[in-house]
Amino acid sequence: MGGPAAPGRHRRGRRRPDQPLAHAVATALALAGATRAEDVTGVATELAHANDIEADDTSCVRISTARDLRVTVAATLCAERAGEPYVVVHGSSGRITFWYKQDRVLLQRAGHGPEEYEYGRTDLLENLLGHLATGAALLVPPEETGAFMRVVEAVRRAPDPEPLPDSAWRRVPGEGRRLVPGIDALVAAAADTLSLYSELGAPWAPRTAHPLNEVSTR
């Protein structure tokens, strides 16, 4: 299971996932049935930045689960083209692509034509208010956020993002931003193969860290 998103940032000396990355990780973990803290057995991070910032803007995270599933999220703010974030669920006889900001699902199965669906969404804030007002059951109780918090802790503990070499990025004329040539294909390949940037052969790939297995000094 994998998908692209936007990366994390620093706040008061501590790194945390940015909102788009948080949405992608939370969605992917939920689809993998890995929502509690004990469901996450490991996290690998590759954090880098092309822009002159302290935070990461081109990164990849892979989560291992107790059910022996892998969840990979590839992230960049230096894309060649703008695109909608999505999560891919890989199965033995097909795959599902979920564009979670558009509530759109594409089902592809062996021996069948592609099927596309659109769904509504449940407002979690309204659900929380209903819980407080009437005691309605929470759709996402606190214990079901433990896996996500384990990933947040891993990003916090991870080594500082590595600057990409000048040869790995270029400026976009008239836009005042930097892009990483080939990053769109790498992000798509990460979602398709559940691989990290280093495993896909990116020459600028940052070092792979396993922060949940390391002692935090922050």
Side-chain angles (χ1 to χ4, degrees), residues 193-206:
T193 66
L194 306 180
S195 301
L196 299 171
Y197 292 144
S198 61
E199 297 165 342
L200 293 170
W204 44 258

Side-chain angles (χ1 to χ4, degrees), residues 126-189:
E126 290 183 4
N127 174 242
L128 175 60
L129 293 175
H131 173 74
L132 295 174
T134 67
L138 286 173
L139 295 175
V140 185
E143 60 271 18
E144 297 295 329
T145 65
F148 173 73
M149 294 308 299
R150 288 268 287 170
V151 178
V152 170
E153 177 67 4
V155 172
R156 187 187 73 83
R157 291 187 181 189
D160 289 340
E162 298 179 16
L164 295 184
D166 292 348
S167 59
W169 57 269
R170 64 179 177 83
R171 295 186 185 277
V172 180
E175 295 187 24
R177 71 179 186 92
R178 300 179 183 185
L179 69 77
V180 177
I183 190 60
D184 292 9
L186 282 169
V187 166

Side-chain angles (χ1 to χ4, degrees), residues 16-218:
R16 66 174 176 82
D18 210 338
Q19 191 175 39
L21 178 62
H23 287 168
V25 170
T27 301
L29 288 172
L31 291 174
T35 56
R36 294 174 176 260
E38 59 269 24
D39 293 331
V40 173
T41 58
V43 178
T45 63
E46 292 185 353
L47 309 179
H49 59 86
N51 290 284
D52 187 17
I53 57 176
E54 292 184 357
D56 55 306
D57 60 29
T58 301
S59 302
C60 199
V61 175
R62 184 164 61 207
I63 305 156
S64 302
T65 75
R67 295 173 56 202
D68 201 28
L69 297 176
R70 290 182 297 162
V71 176
T72 300
V73 177
T76 187
L77 293 177
C78 303
E80 296 161 295
R81 292 169 298 277
E84 286 293 329
Y86 61 88
V87 172
V88 178
V89 181
H90 301 272
S92 57
S93 59
R95 58 188 272 165
I96 296 171
T97 305
F98 176 33
W99 290 270
Y100 51 87
K101 289 179 64 178
Q102 299 178 321
D103 303 320
R104 185 161 58 94
V105 174
L106 175 64
L107 172 63
Q108 297 167 291
R109 295 177 292 170
H112 297 76
E115 303 171 42
E116 189 164 334
Y117 305 90
E118 290 189 14
Y119 295 92
R121 64 175 60 190
T122 302
D123 191 305
L124 294 181
L125 178 58
E126 290 183 4
N127 174 242
L128 175 60
L129 293 175
H131 173 74
L132 295 174
T134 67
L138 286 173
L139 295 175
V140 185
E143 60 271 18
E144 297 295 329
T145 65
F148 173 73
M149 294 308 299
R150 288 268 287 170
V151 178
V152 170
E153 177 67 4
V155 172
R156 187 187 73 83
R157 291 187 181 189
D160 289 340
E162 298 179 16
L164 295 184
D166 292 348
S167 59
W169 57 269
R170 64 179 177 83
R171 295 186 185 277
V172 180
E175 295 187 24
R177 71 179 186 92
R178 300 179 183 185
L179 69 77
V180 177
I183 190 60
D184 292 9
L186 282 169
V187 166
D192 286 340
T193 66
L194 306 180
S195 301
L196 299 171
Y197 292 144
S198 61
E199 297 165 342
L200 293 170
W204 44 258
R207 58 177 168 155
T208 306
H210 302 272
L212 287 185
N213 299 327
E214 299 168 2
V215 177
S216 174
T217 58
R218 301 180 183 180

